Amino acid sequence: MTTPTEAGQAQPIRIAVIDDHEMFRAGVISTLQPHFQIVGQAPDVEGSIAMIEETKPDVALLDVHVPGGEGGGGAEILTKAQALSPGTAFLALSVSDSPKDVGAVIRAGARGYVTKTISGEDLISSIHQVHEGYAVFSPKLAGFVLSTFQGASEEGAPESSRGSHDEELDRLSSREQEVMRLIARGYTYREVAAELFISIKTVETHVSSVLRKLQLSNRSELTLWAADRRIV
């Protein structure tokens, strides 16, 4: 797989790794080093916040359960570190797939959440996607993520604005709707292609068309759009 860095990207994406298990942290760093610049690592809340403030990474991988601080783990790091490094995108990388953990870090501002069963190749791809502004989630977590987004989008929304967007959905062809639902659930382009028996290039074409027709900018906005309409 050719990554943007390998294709001649001027500056490699700068990565920080946060996990309290030293062996796992070392393994992740070993996997990522050929593709990214590792600028920092930390095993706890306080160390992570200080490291992020100092290094200002492009993407921070963080576990949900790390010791220290006020006991808030990854969500606490997110809450306190974002103001110190507003340009950092956070991607949760955790063994946990519980709705409570997923919801906590998503509400705190994580751009994605993948579990530690992810392959090295898919983790590299996920990092590139969150760096480009996309939301990335393990497919099995889609229901939790959509529920979290639904709760956030419905708070304070006018009653008349909920569930009244069929006209927008009708702009999409049946195939575009299929692609849209899978993308909103967190599937990668490769997974959508395999699910629908089409090429990755065709998936990319459909996604571009969906975003254009719905006047959305990226996958994060598409996920919110689909969640708000309860159509995924």
Side-chain angles (χ1 to χ4, degrees), residues 2 80 93 181:
T2 301
K80 295 180 177 179
L93 174 62
R181 286 184 167 88

Side-chain angles (χ1 to χ4, degrees), residues 86-153:
T88 298
F90 291 85
L91 174 62
L93 174 62
S94 178
V95 69
S96 172
D97 60 2
S98 78
K100 179 180 178 181
D101 289 335
V102 175
V105 294
I106 296 304
R107 291 189 187 95
R111 190 170 290 171
Y113 194 117
V114 295
T115 61
K116 289 181 177 179
T117 57
I118 193 171
S119 69
E121 183 178 5
D122 285 340
L123 179 58
I124 291 165
S125 175
S126 295
I127 290 171
H128 281 294
Q129 289 182 62
V130 298
H131 182 249
E132 291 166 7
Y134 296 113
V136 178
F137 304 101
S138 295
K140 67 178 294 185
L141 303 179
F144 304 154
V145 175
L146 290 172
S147 295
T148 299
F149 282 149
Q150 283 173 346
S153 63

Side-chain angles (χ1 to χ4, degrees), residues 78 94 135 165 216:
L78 273 158
S94 178
H165 304 275
L216 302 173

Side-chain angles (χ1 to χ4, degrees), residues 176-192:
E176 287 171 345
Q177 290 187 32
E178 290 177 326
V179 171
M180 175 272 295
R181 286 184 167 88
L182 292 175
I183 290 294
R185 289 172 185 164
Y187 281 55
T188 64
Y189 285 2
R190 181 184 304 166
E191 289 167 338
V192 174

Side-chain angles (χ1 to χ4, degrees), residues 53-71:
E53 181 179 18
E54 179 182 354
T55 63
K56 292 182 169 51
D58 297 315
V59 178
L61 298 179
L62 78 163
D63 194 5
V64 174
H65 299 292
V66 289
E70 300 171 16

